[in-house]
Amino acid sequence: MHVIELADVVKRYQSGEETIEALKGVDFHADRGEMVTIIGPSGSGKSTMLNMIGLLDTPTEGSVKLEGRDVTNFTEDELTEERRNGIGFVFQDFHLLPMLTAVENVELPSMWDTGVDRHDRAIDLLERVGLGERLEHTPRQLSGGQQQRVAIARALVNEPDIVLADEPTGNLDQDTGRTILDELTRLKEEENIAIVSVTHDEQLVEYSDRVVNLVDGVIQE
Ligand code: ADP
Ligand code: ADP
């Protein structure tokens, strides 16, 4: 069973008079323990596809399955629930809250989303990404690479099935990018999760188990 599966997904946007077909019948899946990377030119539908995989938006046609369950016709509230429990997000610009410490940033989704305080797991994850000595630092006191490691710990705190990474190395130099990819690869194995990323970074492509090339809303073989 795939962790996530899109079957024949079409996504259309209405923009005034014009209809834009951003995805034109996309099949996609990811399994536990693999990193799948979506590449493609700007405007090819990568963000739209990531939004489908992240249950942030619903397809116009086709179906989405999470852990074998068809979630295509779930309500907004049901999708939010699935997202909170099943999906972690990592962004190019880290998206950490500046007033909170590293450990507070990591704990936050667990308290907000599930009402369970995973303080011990937050500390454990920060130790595992090498930030055990920086639990009380705020983002401003951390380097870019360290901030991204906090963000990765945060993405994992609710024990998701999938982590979605949108240009995770986009704001980092090449060496720092490599350490982040090493961390992601190791955590992917340890936590037995699927990682789905979108990138222009050749280095990230090297680390991927599978690459999906999207052109004009169609996956190229
Ligand atoms: P990429 O991430 O590869 O740059 P996107 O998924 O952002 O591609 O966009 C694919 C196409 O869908 C583009 O033509 C874009 O302009 C259009 N699009 C994306 N989001 C919207 C939206 N909310 N409303 C209208 N058109 C959109
Ligand atoms: P972009 O890649 O276009 O610069 P972002 O990196 O800000 O955009 O966001 C990538 C995607 O993640 C967007 O489609 C957005 O809907 C979604 N997103 C943004 N913030 C959150 C959040 N806090 N939780 C879940 N999804 C988010």
Side-chain angles (χ1 to χ4, degrees):
M1 186 179 59
H2 303 305
V3 173
I4 184 82
E5 189 172 3
L6 307 186
D8 211 8
V9 163
V10 174
K11 181 64 182 181
R12 291 187 202 99
Y13 295 110
Q14 200 65 42
S15 143
E17 298 282 277
E18 202 188 356
T19 304
I20 296 160
E21 198 164 67
L23 298 177
K24 302 174 177 171
V26 163
D27 293 316
F28 174 85
H29 66 87
D31 296 325
R32 285 186 184 276
E34 71 172 351
M35 169 139 72
V36 186
T37 298
I38 303 167
I39 59 168
S42 184
S44 61
K46 300 183 299 297
S47 300
T48 301
M49 203 171 146
L50 210 60
N51 287 345
M52 300 292 135
I53 297 166
L55 312 185
L56 291 162
D57 200 357
T58 50
T60 311
E61 291 171 20
S63 68
V64 181
K65 282 185 182 167
L66 181 68
E67 292 273 291
R69 287 171 301 122
D70 193 329
V71 299
T72 316
N73 296 314
F74 273 29
T75 63
E76 198 73 43
D77 286 352
E78 287 170 329
L79 288 175
T80 302
E81 185 70 15
E82 294 294 333
R83 222 167 35 236
R84 286 173 172 172
N85 291 312
I87 304 171
F89 295 88
V90 175
F91 305 96
Q92 178 168 359
D93 51 5
F94 322 132
H95 285 205
L96 299 176
L97 290 177
M99 313 78 69
L100 300 185
T101 65
V103 71
E104 287 168 346
N105 265 286
V106 175
E107 281 176 282
L108 197 61
S110 67
M111 294 190 280
W112 273 5
D113 294 348
T114 63
V116 180
D117 182 358
R118 302 196 189 195
H119 185 69
D120 292 344
R121 175 150 167 94
I123 292 173
D124 176 56
L125 283 165
L126 284 168
E127 284 172 349
R128 284 159 63 192
V129 296
L131 293 176
E133 306 296 310
R134 294 190 163 68
L135 301 176
E136 305 299 333
H137 286 50
T138 59
R140 219 162 39 82
Q141 300 170 310
L142 299 171
S143 70
Q146 289 169 342
Q147 289 183 56
Q148 193 59 304
R149 283 187 269 157
V150 174
I152 289 167
R154 179 187 55 190
L156 291 169
V157 76
N158 287 343
E159 301 182 330
D161 307 307
I162 314 171
V163 168
L164 295 187
D166 190 355
E167 293 278 5
T169 55
N171 277 327
L172 305 173
D173 63 56
Q174 198 161 9
D175 287 346
T176 308
R178 194 168 287 282
T179 66
I180 290 298
L181 292 169
D182 285 331
E183 294 288 354
L184 273 175
T185 304
R186 192 168 50 77
L187 291 163
K188 178 195 75 166
E189 305 292 333
E190 288 174 6
E191 301 278 317
N192 193 29
I193 54 169
I195 298 179
V196 180
S197 64
V198 165
T199 196
H200 293 101
D201 180 5
E202 281 301 320
Q203 200 170 246
L204 206 160
V205 170
E206 277 171 44
Y207 275 79
S208 306
D209 299 296
R210 211 143 51 75
V211 177
V212 165
N213 185 17
L214 193 65
V215 178
D216 198 18
V218 179
I219 291 176
Q220 308 295 300
E221 290 309 324

